[in-house]
Amino acid sequence: MSAVEAELPLWPPVNPTRGPFAPLDEAERQRYVGPVRRVRLPTGAAAWLVTRHADVRRLLRHPAFSSDVNRPGFPLLRPLPPRLAEDNKGGFLQMDGAEHARLRRMLTAEFMIKNVRRIEPLIDRTVEESLDALAAAGPPADLVSTFALPLPSMVICHLLGVPYADHDFFQTRSRTLLDRGMPPERIQHDVGELRAYLRALIDAKRARPDGSDDLLGRLIRERVEPGELDVGELVGMALLLLIAGHETTANMIGLSVLLLTREPGRYAILRDDPDRTADLVEELLRYLSIVRTGLFRVATEDVEIGGRAIRAGEGVIVLIALANRDEEVFDDPDRFDPYRQAHQQVAFGFGVHQCIGQPLARAELRIALAALARRFPDLRVTAAPEELTTRDNSVVFGLDALPVTW
Amino acid sequence: MTAADRPVGEKRTVRVEVDRDACCGSGNCVLTAPEVFTQDDADGLVLLLAAAPPVGNAELVRRAADLCPAGAIRVV
Ligand code: HEM
Ligand code: SF4
């Protein structure tokens, strides 16, 4: 590290006093927000930080940025665990170009709006059953462990054809994978266990084809058996969906309830004006932007972004959470406004990696929040936002627990 | 875009082109302008319901082009 690089501000800044709603505090904003600038990463490497909405969108749509963590210069927050080729298989989140498109396109139809509409009754039922159990147990309760987390987890398990009974096993391990504080050996160990678990599940499904109408069953029949898709690739795709499919929506539900119940009028909108729920969810996605440490890319060519020359081989960190607070695009961006038109929010990313699960996530959030407000109109959080422990070290920001009563 | 470009109750229609090779199947266009865009049942990629969208959709079509993460929609 050169002397100049040692003086660069560190990304991400560690600051447990920010509370759950501000991606950065005032002093940190001075250091990080604005034109493209250099930062230092915990690994000692330098990278570019991109925070403006226009720069973020241009960069994520630009073909000269790679998502491949194994490329030299890729910005890392922790050293990569030693990886075998098998460990990378199927993980299209970290692939580029035709390789990425090939796997993503095997899934896009599964998660598109019209198919998610078909599974809305399943989401409805899952929500109602969870809320029945919550009502029967009575107050007080931890809303994260009783509702926010089980709901998306049950839905993605059902869609994939993974037994929900095993959720403790994959939830503890997927949390390890998302935790920046974990040593590389531990990550590698847990990835290995998750892959072995999914591999055994897929092998069992192949050994006893039952025509089951779940995603893994369909991909086995339509892609693996005809020889289009390797089993290792299917394992990697299932792993990605399992992890991306529950922590994210779960954390959004927890934070949304905390935010909405702070002012009684806001929470009541869900009940009194259900037609507004979809717009309200867009504003929640914008304001809460749970992927706060950023999206990571490395330039494959020299490109100019936001007036800066980024050279091939240099790393960039794309802060969608700050793009979502850009005053050029959103008036009074630090205010949560339930009546805002927030369709320009980029909480799901932008470019060809934009979240494939967004129709599912939107439906889950809409249905979960509306049902909660209808059945528990007097729900109150019993801790101040500052008292709640947050997942500051996680790639996906969220609350560990949310104590409520009603 | 200036206000002059989008008169209220716009009469003129626009023409849209989509690039299915570039499309990543995000479905943003379907969410934004469901009368104009849909997704293919087979591969989830964009399909046009009408190359010349119904009158009144011009603004939404431009918005869909702007929000398309893959830059796969062109308004001509
Ligand atoms: C509110 C909840 C969610 C948020 C905020 C969210 C956010 C994101 C973001 C920002 C990306 C882009 C990553 C990048 O560009 O590097 C992404 C990708 C992805 N998400 Fe989500 N996500 C959510 C829910 C879901 C759900 C429910 C699923 C389950 C199907 C899912 C599956 C995926 C997958 C598979 C990718 C990788 C797409 C690709 O690389 O082509 N996500 N998500
Ligand atoms: S918004 Fe763009 S990438 Fe998404 S489905 Fe429509 S054309 Fe394809």
Short mmCIF file of all heavy atoms in Angstrom, two decimals, chain A residues 331-373:
data_model
loop_
_atom_site.label_atom_id
_atom_site.label_comp_id
_atom_site.label_asym_id
_atom_site.label_seq_id
_atom_site.Cartn_x
_atom_site.Cartn_y
_atom_site.Cartn_z
N ASP A 331 -36.72 14.29 -4.32
CA ASP A 331 -36.83 15.50 -3.49
C ASP A 331 -36.72 15.12 -2.03
O ASP A 331 -37.34 14.15 -1.60
CB ASP A 331 -38.20 16.17 -3.69
CG ASP A 331 -38.34 16.73 -5.09
OD1 ASP A 331 -37.29 17.04 -5.70
OD2 ASP A 331 -39.48 16.84 -5.57
N ASP A 332 -35.98 15.91 -1.27
CA ASP A 332 -35.86 15.69 0.17
C ASP A 332 -35.62 14.19 0.45
O ASP A 332 -36.40 13.54 1.16
CB ASP A 332 -37.17 16.17 0.84
CG ASP A 332 -36.98 16.40 2.33
OD1 ASP A 332 -35.85 16.19 2.82
OD2 ASP A 332 -37.96 16.76 2.99
N PRO A 333 -34.53 13.65 -0.09
CA PRO A 333 -34.34 12.19 -0.14
C PRO A 333 -34.27 11.50 1.23
O PRO A 333 -34.56 10.32 1.32
CB PRO A 333 -33.02 12.01 -0.88
CG PRO A 333 -32.31 13.31 -0.74
CD PRO A 333 -33.37 14.36 -0.68
N ASP A 334 -33.88 12.24 2.28
CA ASP A 334 -33.75 11.59 3.58
C ASP A 334 -35.07 11.49 4.33
O ASP A 334 -35.13 10.96 5.43
CB ASP A 334 -32.69 12.30 4.44
CG ASP A 334 -31.32 12.09 3.85
OD1 ASP A 334 -31.04 10.95 3.40
OD2 ASP A 334 -30.54 13.06 3.78
N ARG A 335 -36.12 12.01 3.69
CA ARG A 335 -37.43 11.90 4.30
C ARG A 335 -38.13 10.67 3.72
O ARG A 335 -38.15 10.48 2.50
CB ARG A 335 -38.26 13.14 3.97
CG ARG A 335 -39.42 13.37 4.92
CD ARG A 335 -39.98 14.76 4.70
NE ARG A 335 -40.65 14.82 3.39
CZ ARG A 335 -41.96 14.66 3.23
NH1 ARG A 335 -42.73 14.48 4.25
NH2 ARG A 335 -42.49 14.71 2.04
N PHE A 336 -38.71 9.87 4.61
CA PHE A 336 -39.53 8.76 4.14
C PHE A 336 -40.91 9.32 3.82
O PHE A 336 -41.57 9.90 4.68
CB PHE A 336 -39.63 7.68 5.22
CG PHE A 336 -40.57 6.58 4.85
CD1 PHE A 336 -40.21 5.62 3.93
CD2 PHE A 336 -41.85 6.53 5.40
CE1 PHE A 336 -41.09 4.61 3.56
CE2 PHE A 336 -42.74 5.53 5.04
CZ PHE A 336 -42.37 4.57 4.12
N ASP A 337 -41.33 9.19 2.57
CA ASP A 337 -42.59 9.80 2.15
C ASP A 337 -43.49 8.72 1.53
O ASP A 337 -43.28 8.32 0.39
CB ASP A 337 -42.29 10.90 1.13
CG ASP A 337 -43.57 11.50 0.55
OD1 ASP A 337 -44.68 11.09 0.98
OD2 ASP A 337 -43.45 12.36 -0.34
N PRO A 338 -44.50 8.29 2.28
CA PRO A 338 -45.34 7.19 1.79
C PRO A 338 -46.06 7.53 0.49
O PRO A 338 -46.56 6.64 -0.20
CB PRO A 338 -46.35 6.95 2.92
CG PRO A 338 -46.00 7.86 4.03
CD PRO A 338 -44.90 8.76 3.61
N TYR A 339 -46.11 8.82 0.14
CA TYR A 339 -46.83 9.21 -1.08
C TYR A 339 -45.89 9.51 -2.24
O TYR A 339 -46.30 10.01 -3.27
CB TYR A 339 -47.75 10.41 -0.78
CG TYR A 339 -48.83 10.00 0.19
CD1 TYR A 339 -48.72 10.28 1.54
CD2 TYR A 339 -49.93 9.26 -0.25
CE1 TYR A 339 -49.69 9.85 2.44
CE2 TYR A 339 -50.90 8.82 0.64
CZ TYR A 339 -50.77 9.12 1.98
OH TYR A 339 -51.72 8.67 2.86
N ARG A 340 -44.62 9.20 -2.07
CA ARG A 340 -43.64 9.48 -3.12
C ARG A 340 -43.80 8.46 -4.27
O ARG A 340 -44.19 7.33 -4.06
CB ARG A 340 -42.24 9.33 -2.53
CG ARG A 340 -41.13 9.82 -3.42
CD ARG A 340 -39.78 9.37 -2.87
NE ARG A 340 -39.44 9.93 -1.57
CZ ARG A 340 -38.83 11.09 -1.40
NH1 ARG A 340 -38.51 11.84 -2.42
NH2 ARG A 340 -38.53 11.51 -0.17
N GLN A 341 -43.48 8.90 -5.48
CA GLN A 341 -43.37 7.98 -6.61
C GLN A 341 -41.89 7.58 -6.68
O GLN A 341 -41.08 8.34 -7.17
CB GLN A 341 -43.77 8.68 -7.91
CG GLN A 341 -45.24 9.04 -8.00
CD GLN A 341 -46.08 7.81 -8.23
OE1 GLN A 341 -45.75 6.98 -9.06
NE2 GLN A 341 -47.17 7.67 -7.48
N ALA A 342 -41.58 6.40 -6.19
CA ALA A 342 -40.16 6.04 -6.04
C ALA A 342 -39.69 5.06 -7.11
O ALA A 342 -38.72 4.35 -6.92
CB ALA A 342 -39.92 5.47 -4.64
N HIS A 343 -40.38 5.06 -8.28
CA HIS A 343 -40.05 4.02 -9.26
C HIS A 343 -38.61 4.07 -9.77
O HIS A 343 -38.14 3.13 -10.36
CB HIS A 343 -41.03 4.06 -10.43
CG HIS A 343 -41.10 5.40 -11.09
ND1 HIS A 343 -42.05 6.34 -10.74
CD2 HIS A 343 -40.33 5.97 -12.02
CE1 HIS A 343 -41.85 7.43 -11.45
NE2 HIS A 343 -40.81 7.23 -12.24
N GLN A 344 -37.92 5.19 -9.53
CA GLN A 344 -36.53 5.25 -9.99
C GLN A 344 -35.54 4.63 -8.99
O GLN A 344 -34.33 4.69 -9.19
CB GLN A 344 -36.13 6.70 -10.26
CG GLN A 344 -36.94 7.32 -11.37
CD GLN A 344 -36.20 8.51 -11.94
OE1 GLN A 344 -35.17 8.38 -12.59
NE2 GLN A 344 -36.73 9.69 -11.69
N GLN A 345 -36.08 4.05 -7.92
CA GLN A 345 -35.19 3.44 -6.91
C GLN A 345 -34.39 2.29 -7.52
O GLN A 345 -34.86 1.62 -8.44
CB GLN A 345 -36.00 3.00 -5.68
CG GLN A 345 -37.10 1.97 -5.93
CD GLN A 345 -36.60 0.55 -5.93
OE1 GLN A 345 -35.46 0.27 -5.58
NE2 GLN A 345 -37.47 -0.37 -6.34
N VAL A 346 -33.18 2.10 -7.00
CA VAL A 346 -32.31 1.05 -7.55
C VAL A 346 -31.92 0.02 -6.47
O VAL A 346 -30.84 -0.57 -6.53
CB VAL A 346 -31.03 1.65 -8.20
CG1 VAL A 346 -31.36 2.29 -9.52
CG2 VAL A 346 -30.35 2.66 -7.27
N ALA A 347 -32.83 -0.22 -5.52
CA ALA A 347 -32.54 -1.18 -4.44
C ALA A 347 -32.32 -2.60 -4.96
O ALA A 347 -31.66 -3.41 -4.31
CB ALA A 347 -33.66 -1.17 -3.41
N PHE A 348 -32.88 -2.92 -6.13
CA PHE A 348 -32.66 -4.24 -6.73
C PHE A 348 -31.47 -4.24 -7.68
O PHE A 348 -31.25 -5.21 -8.41
CB PHE A 348 -33.91 -4.69 -7.50
CG PHE A 348 -35.09 -5.05 -6.61
CD1 PHE A 348 -36.29 -4.35 -6.73
CD2 PHE A 348 -35.01 -6.08 -5.70
CE1 PHE A 348 -37.39 -4.68 -5.94
CE2 PHE A 348 -36.10 -6.43 -4.90
CZ PHE A 348 -37.29 -5.73 -5.02
N GLY A 349 -30.71 -3.17 -7.69
CA GLY A 349 -29.58 -3.08 -8.60
C GLY A 349 -30.03 -2.54 -9.96
O GLY A 349 -31.15 -2.05 -10.12
N PHE A 350 -29.12 -2.60 -10.94
CA PHE A 350 -29.40 -2.13 -12.30
C PHE A 350 -28.44 -2.87 -13.20
O PHE A 350 -27.44 -3.40 -12.75
CB PHE A 350 -29.17 -0.61 -12.37
CG PHE A 350 -29.99 0.08 -13.43
CD1 PHE A 350 -31.37 0.10 -13.36
CD2 PHE A 350 -29.37 0.71 -14.52
CE1 PHE A 350 -32.13 0.74 -14.33
CE2 PHE A 350 -30.13 1.35 -15.49
CZ PHE A 350 -31.51 1.36 -15.40
N GLY A 351 -28.76 -2.94 -14.50
CA GLY A 351 -27.90 -3.74 -15.37
C GLY A 351 -28.38 -5.19 -15.41
O GLY A 351 -29.39 -5.54 -14.79
N VAL A 352 -27.65 -6.03 -16.11
CA VAL A 352 -28.13 -7.40 -16.37
C VAL A 352 -28.20 -8.28 -15.13
O VAL A 352 -28.82 -9.34 -15.16
CB VAL A 352 -27.28 -8.13 -17.46
CG1 VAL A 352 -27.44 -7.44 -18.80
CG2 VAL A 352 -25.83 -8.23 -17.04
N HIS A 353 -27.58 -7.85 -14.02
CA HIS A 353 -27.69 -8.63 -12.78
C HIS A 353 -28.85 -8.16 -11.91
O HIS A 353 -29.01 -8.66 -10.80
CB HIS A 353 -26.39 -8.53 -11.97
CG HIS A 353 -25.25 -9.29 -12.57
ND1 HIS A 353 -25.09 -10.64 -12.39
CD2 HIS A 353 -24.23 -8.88 -13.36
CE1 HIS A 353 -24.00 -11.04 -13.04
NE2 HIS A 353 -23.46 -9.99 -13.64
N GLN A 354 -29.62 -7.20 -12.39
CA GLN A 354 -30.71 -6.69 -11.55
C GLN A 354 -31.52 -7.87 -11.01
O GLN A 354 -31.82 -8.82 -11.73
CB GLN A 354 -31.61 -5.74 -12.32
CG GLN A 354 -32.56 -4.99 -11.38
CD GLN A 354 -33.55 -4.11 -12.12
OE1 GLN A 354 -34.27 -4.58 -12.99
NE2 GLN A 354 -33.57 -2.82 -11.79
N CYS A 355 -31.90 -7.76 -9.75
CA CYS A 355 -32.52 -8.88 -9.03
C CYS A 355 -33.55 -9.64 -9.84
O CYS A 355 -34.54 -9.09 -10.32
CB CYS A 355 -33.16 -8.34 -7.75
SG CYS A 355 -33.83 -9.65 -6.73
N ILE A 356 -33.33 -10.93 -9.93
CA ILE A 356 -34.25 -11.79 -10.69
C ILE A 356 -35.49 -12.07 -9.84
O ILE A 356 -36.56 -12.38 -10.36
CB ILE A 356 -33.54 -13.08 -11.10
CG1 ILE A 356 -34.25 -13.77 -12.25
CG2 ILE A 356 -33.40 -14.05 -9.94
CD1 ILE A 356 -33.46 -14.96 -12.81
N GLY A 357 -35.36 -11.94 -8.51
CA GLY A 357 -36.46 -12.26 -7.61
C GLY A 357 -37.34 -11.07 -7.27
O GLY A 357 -38.19 -11.16 -6.39
N GLN A 358 -37.17 -9.94 -8.02
CA GLN A 358 -37.89 -8.73 -7.58
C GLN A 358 -39.41 -8.86 -7.64
O GLN A 358 -40.08 -8.35 -6.73
CB GLN A 358 -37.39 -7.47 -8.28
CG GLN A 358 -37.35 -7.53 -9.78
CD GLN A 358 -36.75 -6.26 -10.37
OE1 GLN A 358 -37.23 -5.17 -10.09
NE2 GLN A 358 -35.73 -6.39 -11.17
N PRO A 359 -40.00 -9.54 -8.63
CA PRO A 359 -41.47 -9.66 -8.57
C PRO A 359 -41.91 -10.46 -7.34
O PRO A 359 -42.92 -10.12 -6.71
CB PRO A 359 -41.81 -10.41 -9.86
CG PRO A 359 -40.67 -10.15 -10.78
CD PRO A 359 -39.46 -10.10 -9.88
N LEU A 360 -41.13 -11.47 -6.99
CA LEU A 360 -41.46 -12.27 -5.80
C LEU A 360 -41.30 -11.43 -4.53
O LEU A 360 -42.18 -11.42 -3.66
CB LEU A 360 -40.55 -13.51 -5.75
CG LEU A 360 -40.71 -14.41 -4.52
CD1 LEU A 360 -42.12 -14.96 -4.44
CD2 LEU A 360 -39.69 -15.55 -4.54
N ALA A 361 -40.18 -10.71 -4.44
CA ALA A 361 -39.94 -9.89 -3.25
C ALA A 361 -41.04 -8.84 -3.08
O ALA A 361 -41.55 -8.62 -1.98
CB ALA A 361 -38.57 -9.21 -3.35
N ARG A 362 -41.42 -8.19 -4.19
CA ARG A 362 -42.48 -7.17 -4.11
C ARG A 362 -43.80 -7.78 -3.63
O ARG A 362 -44.48 -7.22 -2.78
CB ARG A 362 -42.71 -6.53 -5.48
CG ARG A 362 -41.64 -5.55 -5.89
CD ARG A 362 -42.09 -4.77 -7.12
NE ARG A 362 -41.17 -3.69 -7.40
CZ ARG A 362 -40.22 -3.73 -8.35
NH1 ARG A 362 -40.10 -4.78 -9.13
NH2 ARG A 362 -39.42 -2.70 -8.52
N ALA A 363 -44.15 -8.96 -4.17
CA ALA A 363 -45.41 -9.60 -3.79
C ALA A 363 -45.37 -10.00 -2.31
O ALA A 363 -46.33 -9.78 -1.57
CB ALA A 363 -45.67 -10.82 -4.67
N GLU A 364 -44.25 -10.55 -1.87
CA GLU A 364 -44.14 -10.96 -0.46
C GLU A 364 -44.29 -9.75 0.46
O GLU A 364 -44.99 -9.81 1.47
CB GLU A 364 -42.79 -11.64 -0.21
CG GLU A 364 -42.70 -13.03 -0.82
CD GLU A 364 -41.33 -13.68 -0.65
OE1 GLU A 364 -40.31 -12.96 -0.55
OE2 GLU A 364 -41.26 -14.91 -0.64
N LEU A 365 -43.62 -8.65 0.12
CA LEU A 365 -43.67 -7.46 0.97
C LEU A 365 -45.08 -6.89 1.02
O LEU A 365 -45.60 -6.56 2.08
CB LEU A 365 -42.69 -6.40 0.45
CG LEU A 365 -41.21 -6.71 0.66
CD1 LEU A 365 -40.33 -5.73 -0.09
CD2 LEU A 365 -40.89 -6.67 2.15
N ARG A 366 -45.68 -6.78 -0.15
CA ARG A 366 -47.03 -6.22 -0.24
C ARG A 366 -48.02 -7.05 0.59
O ARG A 366 -48.76 -6.52 1.43
CB ARG A 366 -47.43 -6.23 -1.71
CG ARG A 366 -48.56 -5.35 -2.08
CD ARG A 366 -48.70 -5.15 -3.62
NE ARG A 366 -48.27 -6.24 -4.49
CZ ARG A 366 -48.94 -7.37 -4.71
NH1 ARG A 366 -50.09 -7.58 -4.12
NH2 ARG A 366 -48.45 -8.29 -5.54
N ILE A 367 -48.01 -8.35 0.37
CA ILE A 367 -48.98 -9.22 1.03
C ILE A 367 -48.71 -9.29 2.54
O ILE A 367 -49.62 -9.19 3.36
CB ILE A 367 -48.95 -10.63 0.39
CG1 ILE A 367 -49.45 -10.54 -1.07
CG2 ILE A 367 -49.80 -11.61 1.18
CD1 ILE A 367 -49.26 -11.81 -1.88
N ALA A 368 -47.44 -9.42 2.91
CA ALA A 368 -47.09 -9.55 4.33
C ALA A 368 -47.46 -8.29 5.11
O ALA A 368 -48.08 -8.36 6.17
CB ALA A 368 -45.60 -9.83 4.48
N LEU A 369 -47.10 -7.12 4.57
CA LEU A 369 -47.34 -5.88 5.32
C LEU A 369 -48.82 -5.57 5.40
O LEU A 369 -49.33 -5.16 6.45
CB LEU A 369 -46.56 -4.72 4.67
CG LEU A 369 -45.03 -4.85 4.74
CD1 LEU A 369 -44.36 -3.74 3.95
CD2 LEU A 369 -44.55 -4.84 6.20
N ALA A 370 -49.55 -5.78 4.29
CA ALA A 370 -50.99 -5.49 4.30
C ALA A 370 -51.71 -6.40 5.28
O ALA A 370 -52.58 -5.95 6.06
CB ALA A 370 -51.56 -5.64 2.90
N ALA A 371 -51.36 -7.69 5.31
CA ALA A 371 -52.05 -8.62 6.21
C ALA A 371 -51.73 -8.31 7.67
O ALA A 371 -52.60 -8.35 8.54
CB ALA A 371 -51.65 -10.06 5.88
N LEU A 372 -50.49 -7.96 7.92
CA LEU A 372 -50.09 -7.62 9.30
C LEU A 372 -50.89 -6.42 9.80
O LEU A 372 -51.43 -6.44 10.92
CB LEU A 372 -48.59 -7.32 9.32
CG LEU A 372 -47.93 -7.22 10.69
CD1 LEU A 372 -47.92 -8.59 11.38
CD2 LEU A 372 -46.50 -6.70 10.56
N ALA A 373 -51.01 -5.39 8.97
CA ALA A 373 -51.72 -4.17 9.39
C ALA A 373 -53.22 -4.44 9.55
O ALA A 373 -53.88 -3.85 10.40
CB ALA A 373 -51.49 -3.06 8.38
#
